[in-house]
Amino acid sequence: MPELRQPSVRDLADLTALCLRSKAYWGYDAEFMAACVPVLTLTEADLKDIPTITEVEGETLLGMVQVSNGDEGCTLQRLFVDPAHMGMGTGRRLFQWAVGTARGMGAAEMIVESDPGAVPFYVAMGCRPAGAAPSEAIPGRMLPRLVYDLR
């Protein structure tokens, strides 16, 4: 049975690998994926400064999510599910954790900057389209921006 747990520093390499596998799921080429490595590499500071949870089953890492609340508002930082476990509820459970965490931060809404391929998932979770945002990894690329109402 899957369970949520906080990751530790020893999970960083596995979390980064999970993020990259999940991103690659959308069919990007090697050059694109190489550009994503710096943005998708998790650090000790990420775990210390950003609320993070993973879903695991035994020793298998199924997915992870992070939520931050800063000057730009409450943001879903990362939500990645291992491709072998997509469509099995991991993403939904992680998103629900993110919603509860964002509400606990006192936020009225949560901003999601999504891979285009993941937009249908976020819409199904109740997010509404809210324009576009520049990609951190690919200069000139715009990402769909969505907002989830936490009220």
Side-chain angles (χ1 to χ4, degrees):
M1 188 74 158
E3 63 179 347
L4 297 180
R5 73 163 169 83
Q6 290 192 328
S8 70
V9 172
R10 71 179 185 277
D11 297 317
L12 287 172
D14 290 338
L15 288 169
T16 297
L18 168 86
C19 292
L20 291 167
R21 278 193 313 276
S22 183
K23 186 69 159 177
Y25 173 82
W26 302 109
Y28 296 115
D29 64 26
E31 181 181 355
F32 182 98
M33 290 304 300
C36 292
V37 170
V39 174
L40 298 181
T41 298
L42 279 89
T43 66
E44 287 186 45
D46 289 326
L47 297 186
K48 179 180 169 237
D49 299 338
I50 305 170
T52 305
I53 202 78
T54 60
E55 184 169 271
V56 297
E57 189 163 21
E59 296 299 313
T60 304
L61 181 60
L62 307 179
M64 61 89 58
V65 66
Q66 294 181 303
V67 180
S68 68
N69 199 11
D71 295 338
E72 69 285 349
C74 185
T75 304
L76 184 79
Q77 290 294 110
R78 293 178 173 102
L79 192 161
F80 289 101
V81 175
D82 187 279
H85 296 92
M86 288 182 178
M88 298 180 184
T90 294
R92 179 178 39 79
R93 289 186 290 273
L94 293 171
F95 188 84
Q96 289 169 342
W97 179 89
V99 166
T101 299
R103 283 187 176 131
M105 294 173 170
E109 63 183 22
M110 182 171 63
I111 300 162
V112 178
E113 292 174 6
S114 174
D115 187 278
V119 169
F121 166 78
Y122 290 114
V123 169
M125 294 295 102
C127 295
R128 61 179 163 66
S135 167
E136 289 181 56
I138 311 293
R141 182 175 191 238
M142 297 300 286
L143 297 174
R145 183 177 189 272
L146 301 104
V147 174
Y148 185 87
D149 188 346
L150 295 163
R151 294 169 280 216

